[in-house]
Amino acid sequence: MSLPDPLHHAPRSPGRVRLALLFAIALTACAPDAWRSDAPYDAFLDQVQNHCGEQRIGSRNLGAELLQDAYFLDLTSRFYHGEISRSNYVDSLASAFDASASSAGISCILRLMPGPD
């Protein structure tokens, strides 16, 4: 009786290879800012925490909940870095968190955002 060779691996199925490739592509396509250190953006998030932490966007508390939310952080990063417009940012936040575009949390973030209004 022969035992299986532990160094011999079964050939990979095309489905597994495709899945691995899709996963790698998805990782590189998501929030590039989230994968590298960005001191100015991190400082901005600290300001949001300190000045707006008790404000709400919809039913969510900005400090305790939204600063831990991946979608919020990605969207805010894209706005901070000028990749999306102010109106797109506001509309996206309001829609995602079922809030008014003039909610206290959104208004507070906009006041802290560097650059022209």
Side-chain angles (χ1 to χ4, degrees):
M1 176 163 106
S2 70
L3 295 174
D5 179 1
L7 298 177
H8 177 73
H9 299 284
R12 294 189 178 152
S13 71
R16 280 188 151 181
V17 172
R18 273 187 244 131
L19 182 61
L21 286 173
L22 286 173
F23 183 70
I25 290 168
L27 278 178
T28 58
C30 294
D33 304 7
W35 301 106
R36 63 179 177 256
S37 179
D38 184 349
Y41 177 63
D42 292 342
F44 171 72
L45 290 177
D46 288 343
Q47 287 183 346
V48 170
Q49 172 67 44
N50 294 334
H51 297 285
C52 309
E54 298 301 317
Q55 302 296 326
R56 301 185 80 68
I57 297 176
S59 64
R60 311 269 308 266
N61 179 284
L62 190 53
E65 298 175 61
L66 290 177
L67 287 173
Q68 304 300 316
D69 183 280
Y71 178 75
F72 173 82
L73 292 172
D74 179 56
L75 188 66
T76 302
S77 173
R78 289 189 285 139
F79 179 51
Y80 179 86
H81 289 98
E83 296 171 11
I84 60 173
S85 70
R86 177 187 175 111
S87 63
N88 186 274
Y89 177 70
V90 169
D91 291 345
S92 296
L93 274 181
S95 175
F97 299 107
D98 196 27
S100 164
S102 62
S103 71
I106 294 174
S107 297
C108 187
I109 293 168
L110 295 176
R111 281 192 304 273
L112 294 174
M113 191 63 66
D117 286 55

